[in-house]
Amino acid sequence: MSFKSLLTMLTPAILAMGLYSSALLAHADHQHDTVNEIVVNNAQIRDFLPGSKSSAGYLTLVNHGDTAIELTKVTVESLGRVEIHEHQHVNGMMKMQKVDTLQIKANQQLDFKPGGYHLMVFEPKEPLKIGQELKLTLYFSNGDRVFTQASVVSLESQIAETPQSQQHHTHH
Ligand SMILES: [Cu+2]
C-alpha cells in the first residue's frame, strides 16, 4: 500500500474526528448557557431605619429557560433572616404575607418592587452601610443556586428610583 493511498483512507477518519470534537465543544457551550438561564439584576437592600427590626430588598429575576423554576429561599450575607413576601389587597387594605415558594415561568421576568413581591430582611449582624455590597444567594427547587451582589441603598434613593404611582404605599 502506498503512502498516498493510506492517507486517502485515513482522511475521512481524521475529518470525522475533527467534526466529533467540534460537536463536543458545541455541546459544552450549550451546557454553559443552560446554567446561566436565570439572571438576577439590580439587587438592592434598603438600609434599616433607626429602631426598625426589618427592611426591604428588591431585585429583578429573569428566567431565560424553557421550563418554570421555583424560588425557595434567599439568603443575604450579614443578615440573619430573609423572607420572600408579596402584597395583596384585602378589603381595600394592602397586606403583605410570606410566600414559601415563588414560581417564575419560562421566559418570564419577575420584578421585586415596592407594592409587589419583595424581600423582607431581618437580624443584621452588624449595621449596614450605604453603598456596601452584600452577597445575595437565590435557591431554586431544582438545586440551582444563583449569586449576585446586592447594594445597600438609603430609603431616599430607593424612593427616587420608584415610579410615582407606587410612592403612596408606606411599607411597615
Ligand atoms: Cu414585607
Side-chain angles (χ1 to χ4, degrees), residues 28-41:
D29 282 343
H30 179 69
Q31 289 281 318
H32 184 70
D33 287 339
T34 308
V35 171
N36 289 322
E37 71 188 12
I38 302 160
V39 177
V40 188
N41 286 315

Side-chain angles (χ1 to χ4, degrees), residues 85 87 96 118-120 171-172:
H85 279 200
H87 272 114
M96 65 172 191
H118 58 280
L119 299 176
M120 213 77 245
H171 199 268
H172 304 285

Side-chain angles (χ1 to χ4, degrees), residues 34-35 37-38 69 72 138-146:
T34 308
V35 171
E37 71 188 12
I38 302 160
I69 52 167
T72 54
L138 300 153
Y139 295 78
F140 295 90
S141 59
N142 64 357
D144 275 359
R145 278 190 221 176
V146 177

Side-chain angles (χ1 to χ4, degrees), residues 5 11 20 37 56 62-63 79 82 107 125 148:
S5 64
T11 303
Y20 180 65
E37 71 188 12
V62 188
N63 177 12
L79 292 166
V82 180
N107 299 303
K125 289 169 185 160
T148 191

Side-chain angles (χ1 to χ4, degrees), residues 6-86:
L6 182 69
L7 201 63
T8 313
M9 248 177 64
L10 284 176
T11 303
I14 292 165
L15 276 176
M17 277 172 68
L19 282 174
Y20 180 65
S21 61
S22 58
L24 271 183
L25 279 175
H27 184 66
D29 282 343
H30 179 69
Q31 289 281 318
H32 184 70
D33 287 339
T34 308
V35 171
N36 289 322
E37 71 188 12
I38 302 160
V39 177
V40 188
N41 286 315
N42 303 322
Q44 293 185 340
I45 304 289
R46 192 197 347 109
D47 191 16
F48 286 71
L49 297 176
S52 177
K53 286 187 160 49
S54 67
S55 189
Y58 305 107
L59 52 87
T60 298
L61 201 51
V62 188
N63 177 12
H64 288 292
D66 301 330
T67 52
I69 52 167
E70 272 196 347
L71 179 66
T72 54
K73 191 171 99 166
V74 179
T75 59
V76 181
E77 173 193 16
S78 341
L79 292 166
R81 189 155 57 96
V82 180
E83 294 178 358
I84 304 163
H85 279 200
E86 66 177 339

Side-chain angles (χ1 to χ4, degrees), residues 84-95:
I84 304 163
H85 279 200
E86 66 177 339
H87 272 114
Q88 281 188 334
H89 287 282
V90 180
N91 300 327
M93 300 262 294
M94 187 77 113
K95 296 208 167 172

